[in-house]
Amino acid sequence: MAPVPSFPVKVGHIDDVQELKKNKPTCIPERFVRDMIERPKLGTVTTPSSCNLNIPVVDLSKIMNSQDEIMKLSTSCEEWGFFQVINHGIDLDLLEKMEKIAMEFFMLPLEEKQKYPMAPGTVQGYGQAFVFSEDQKLDWCNMFALGVEPHFIRNPKLWPTKPLDFSETVDIYSREIRKLCKNLLKYIAISLGLNEDIFEEMFGLAVQAVRINYYPECPRPDLVLGLSPHSDGSALTVLQQGKGSSVGLQILKDNVWVPVQPIPNALVINIGDTIEVLTNGRYKSVEHRAVTHQEKDRLSIVTFYAPSYEIELGPLPELVDENNPCKYKRYNHGEYSMHYVTNKLQGKKTLEFAKIYNN
């Protein structure tokens, strides 16, 4: 089964942000208003002069025969934890169809979407994930999330009948993204000087989930966050940004929030906590967040790819030596997944579960 909390969760009343937007609120409900220190400084994002504004771009069509492209991948994972991949091999019509049915789902009447509710403390269904108390601040976002692979993590009651081709499209899309993740992990292994199949052989029957995020326009984007700062618990995360959407994704680089400018037809890839642990911190998961926009909405389609819940994980011996002592303990990935999904999003705090602290 997919991880679920073993304790009762009371989340209080959660407003649906699309319904809030329809009512044209003159003020933002208090649960969405962030403390001063958390509020985004919109329009004032600056970076140190040493920091390039744009995250690296990796061309997958060149990588097989290009050491330069492998080096670019390595630098991306080591210094950024993020990159955009172009010529990824996924049919652009499929990306467009996935975006279309995702938007159609969010445009359904509220009562239709509420047929697939995200139960408190869980991460599948329609609603807000990672909410664990009645006074926790909320994100200006509606989410719809589904477990995809292996099949036993699926909850068939949460797969919608509208739009009519939703389930079929998600299945086809997810198969293609799965191939991409396996391919990327092969090249990540090569960039580390490892056997190219090491991750696939280690991961067993990999876990895959998809989450669609919809961020409506917000009258006060300076007071809210679309998604709280966090790193991902996955091995890899693949993000498709809706065409024409506002620029919402930001990553924390040198203690500054840097916006990720979408490239047409590219996919955004980020390193998850699992790869940070396996590489003993050489490749790092990076905090990221989403901000909102006063006049434009935003859609994103996110796939999380991770090892089987049964797998024991820890730093690879090849990446541990006297100069790079072991930074993380070995742990069961299912236990880590439970730890991740039963805590609110709070930077990289979840990874403390695995860290070794030397006195």
Side-chain angles (χ1 to χ4, degrees):
M1 289 291 291
V4 294
S6 57
F7 50 88
V9 177
K10 294 183 179 180
V11 300
H13 175 71
I14 297 179
D15 285 304
D16 183 285
V17 288
Q18 283 175 263
E19 298 303 304
L20 281 177
K21 189 205 76 169
K22 284 180 188 175
N23 296 329
K24 295 184 170 59
T26 53
C27 62
I28 303 295
E30 189 60 31
R31 280 195 78 182
F32 292 93
V33 177
R34 295 287 172 152
D35 296 335
M36 289 295 294
I37 195 169
E38 292 184 296
R39 294 178 188 177
K41 296 176 174 61
L42 302 174
T44 60
V45 176
T46 55
T47 58
S49 56
S50 61
C51 176
N52 191 319
L53 262 176
N54 298 314
I55 68 170
V57 178
V58 174
D59 187 339
L60 211 57
S61 68
K62 295 179 180 177
I63 201 165
M64 189 180 297
N65 302 306
S66 171
Q67 190 59 34
D68 287 346
E69 214 66 27
I70 290 285
M71 284 299 299
K72 192 188 296 184
L73 175 64
S74 178
T75 302
S76 304
C77 296
E78 202 164 329
E79 298 181 6
W80 287 84
F82 269 79
F83 57 94
Q84 298 200 59
V85 63
I86 58 173
N87 297 319
H88 41 67
I90 298 178
D91 192 293
L92 300 182
D93 289 340
L94 178 58
L95 298 185
E96 194 171 310
K97 186 173 184 181
M98 184 64 203
E99 181 183 333
K100 178 175 177 287
I101 60 114
M103 188 61 88
E104 285 175 0
F105 175 83
F106 281 109
M107 295 303 113
L108 290 171
L110 179 61
E111 56 268 23
E112 182 67 30
K113 292 179 286 189
Q114 287 180 332
K115 292 178 181 177
Y116 314 100
M118 186 180 290
T122 68
V123 291
Q124 291 197 50
Y126 176 77
Q128 282 223 14
F130 305 103
V131 181
F132 294 98
S133 71
E134 298 179 81
D135 58 358
Q136 184 179 327
K137 292 296 184 183
L138 300 175
D139 294 328
W140 192 267
C141 177
N142 284 340
M143 299 177 175
F144 184 55
L146 296 168
V148 178
E149 292 289 348
H151 273 243
F152 70 77
I153 72 168
R154 294 189 180 208
N155 183 341
K157 294 178 181 177
L158 296 177
W159 285 67
T161 55
K162 295 179 183 177
L164 289 175
D165 53 351
F166 186 94
S167 295
E168 181 187 10
T169 304
V170 168
D171 269 333
I172 296 169
Y173 177 84
S174 296
R175 283 198 296 272
E176 293 302 308
I177 295 290
R178 195 173 183 86
K179 290 177 194 171
L180 174 63
C181 289
K182 290 182 177 184
N183 212 16
L184 288 169
L185 284 169
K186 179 176 75 172
Y187 290 116
I188 286 171
I190 291 170
S191 76
L192 290 161
L194 303 170
N195 183 310
E196 65 179 43
D197 297 322
I198 190 168
F199 294 122
E200 181 162 4
E201 291 172 358
M202 180 191 305
F203 282 14
L205 186 54
V207 173
Q208 185 174 344
V210 62
R211 191 180 74 218
I212 309 166
N213 304 315
Y214 180 69
Y215 308 91
E217 308 96 301
C218 180
R220 290 295 305 273
D222 57 316
L223 299 181
V224 308
L225 286 174
L227 193 59
S228 301
H230 65 286
S231 62
D232 293 338
S234 57
L236 290 180
T237 301
V238 180
L239 169 70
Q240 177 183 344
Q241 306 202 70
K243 288 184 178 176
S245 289
S246 60
V247 177
L249 174 63
Q250 297 183 340
I251 68 172
L252 192 61
K253 170 73 170 166
D254 301 329
N255 293 315
V256 175
W257 288 106
V258 178
V260 175
Q261 304 291 340
I263 295 173
N265 303 321
L267 295 168
V268 178
I269 312 296
N270 66 278
I271 298 299
D273 293 347
T274 298
I275 292 294
E276 175 165 337
V277 170
L278 289 170
T279 64
N280 199 33
R282 179 169 164 183
Y283 288 176
K284 295 175 179 62
S285 63
V286 169
E287 273 188 66
H288 50 287
R289 69 180 185 181
V291 297
T292 62
H293 195 277
Q294 195 165 12
E295 297 171 354
K296 293 183 76 173
D297 61 356
R298 177 170 177 259
L299 178 79
S300 66
I301 302 158
V302 190
T303 298
F304 304 97
Y305 186 86
S308 164
Y309 292 135
E310 286 76 41
I311 301 300
E312 295 282 322
L313 295 174
L316 293 164
E318 298 93 328
L319 301 176
V320 177
D321 57 32
E322 286 184 8
N323 296 321
N324 299 286
C326 192
K327 298 181 177 71
Y328 307 92
K329 65 182 182 182
R330 288 190 66 80
Y331 59 86
N332 172 268
H333 183 64
E335 288 179 18
Y336 182 70
S337 296
M338 170 69 80
H339 182 67
Y340 189 92
V341 303
T342 55
N343 282 276
K344 69 177 185 178
L345 298 179
Q346 196 172 355
K348 291 190 67 170
K349 189 174 181 181
T350 316
L351 193 55
E352 291 175 13
F353 170 96
K355 282 187 176 177
I356 294 173
Y357 292 95
N358 297 314
N359 295 329

